[in-house]
Amino acid sequence: DLLNEFPVLYPNESVFRTALLGMAAYKFSWYDAHLWAYAERFGLPEILSEDFEHGRRYGTVPVRNPFVELALA
């Protein structure tokens, strides 16, 4: 049921190369670079994470830390 509900984004050469770019340009770890690369290559609207800088845009992808917003409320 989950596979029918949510699209599966598979790795490809473009995602891999974008992740390498993220490691070089933003000093991301391999995991964070992959997360960002998927968002960048597949046009995801934002990354929700406490591991990236809140409010910053990496490439075309903005980052939002939902815990920062809870602390400000």
Side-chain angles (χ1 to χ4, degrees):
D1 289 336
L2 287 175
L3 291 174
N4 291 327
E5 186 69 29
F6 300 101
V8 177
L9 305 177
Y10 292 100
N12 57 35
E13 182 179 345
S14 178
V15 170
F16 182 80
R17 288 181 181 275
T18 302
L20 291 174
L21 174 68
M23 289 180 67
Y26 302 118
K27 307 297 186 223
F28 288 153
S29 68
W30 180 241
Y31 173 80
D32 290 344
H34 245 84
L35 181 69
W36 169 76
Y38 273 90
E40 181 75 18
R41 298 308 302 164
F42 289 104
L44 302 179
E46 68 181 349
I47 294 175
L48 293 173
S49 175
E50 62 182 314
D51 295 329
F52 292 85
E53 185 181 335
H54 176 73
R56 181 163 177 192
R57 180 178 294 271
Y58 297 95
T60 63
V61 184
V63 173
R64 184 165 54 100
N65 181 342
F67 298 114
V68 168
E69 294 172 1
L70 287 174
L72 296 175

